[in-house]
Amino acid sequence: MAKLNGTWRFVSQTNLDGFHTAKKTPDAYKEFLRGLGQAVKTNPDAYKEQLTIDVAAGTANRTAYVNNEKKRNTTVKIGCENDVTLACGRAAKGRVEIQGDSKAVLHEKGDGFESSAIYEVNGNDLTVTQTCAGQTAVLKFTKV
């Protein structure tokens, strides 16, 4: 899991708004995401994620930073359905599957939506492909 583990700087996105509309994300959180999308163009520290996959412990941890300030820290059991609170504040069920050394898949199901996010590392780049109700968003990160 060494390839997924580390701190990742958000650099670009496509169709994030379409994905979150399909996911029924509240408008206030979509506006926050739009702001981050603009901020990363001039501030490389606007958004980062730290991923820690511990296969031996059976856990996956994701910590989000906005302007280098820790905003969110979530740890779930790998391969199990977990009760989670989404970044927008909604409750959901989440399950993380590890698919090799450089790939993980997150499945989420909540009120009115089912989504997936594929995290895949290639060199120093992390691509997150999110899908919900026919809408796909692609997020790009680089390793810090």
Side-chain angles (χ1 to χ4, degrees):
M1 297 314 351
K3 290 181 182 178
L4 282 166
N5 289 344
T7 302
W8 300 90
R9 179 176 290 129
F10 177 57
V11 294
S12 69
Q13 60 83 19
T14 57
N15 198 36
L16 193 58
D17 198 60
F19 168 80
H20 278 285
T21 297
K23 196 173 176 180
K24 300 180 180 8
T25 298
D27 289 340
Y29 191 72
K30 287 193 291 187
E31 189 61 36
F32 168 75
L33 292 174
R34 286 183 200 108
L36 279 181
Q38 291 301 313
V40 299
K41 294 176 182 177
T42 58
N43 176 6
D45 292 322
Y47 185 77
K48 292 186 274 191
E49 288 191 3
Q50 183 177 6
L51 302 176
T52 307
I53 310 295
D54 186 338
V55 175
T59 59
N61 176 271
R62 182 172 152 210
T63 304
Y65 296 87
V66 175
N67 294 318
N68 290 320
E69 182 181 336
K70 185 191 285 188
K71 292 292 185 178
R72 194 167 154 69
N73 185 33
T74 305
T75 300
V76 297
K77 288 290 206 180
I78 296 169
C80 301
E81 185 174 85
N82 296 270
D83 290 320
V84 296
T85 301
L86 303 177
C88 65
R90 295 184 298 160
K93 299 288 186 183
R95 186 179 77 250
V96 173
E97 300 170 354
I98 305 304
Q99 298 182 350
D101 189 38
S102 60
K103 185 176 179 181
V105 180
L106 168 64
H107 300 277
E108 293 177 329
K109 184 175 182 176
D111 188 22
F113 77 91
E114 282 189 53
S115 66
S116 66
I118 300 169
Y119 288 70
E120 196 156 21
V121 175
N122 184 3
N124 286 328
D125 298 319
L126 169 66
T127 301
V128 181
T129 305
Q130 300 176 313
T131 305
C132 182
Q135 293 290 319
T136 299
V138 178
L139 289 73
K140 299 283 187 173
F141 295 79
T142 59
K143 197 156 200 171
V144 175

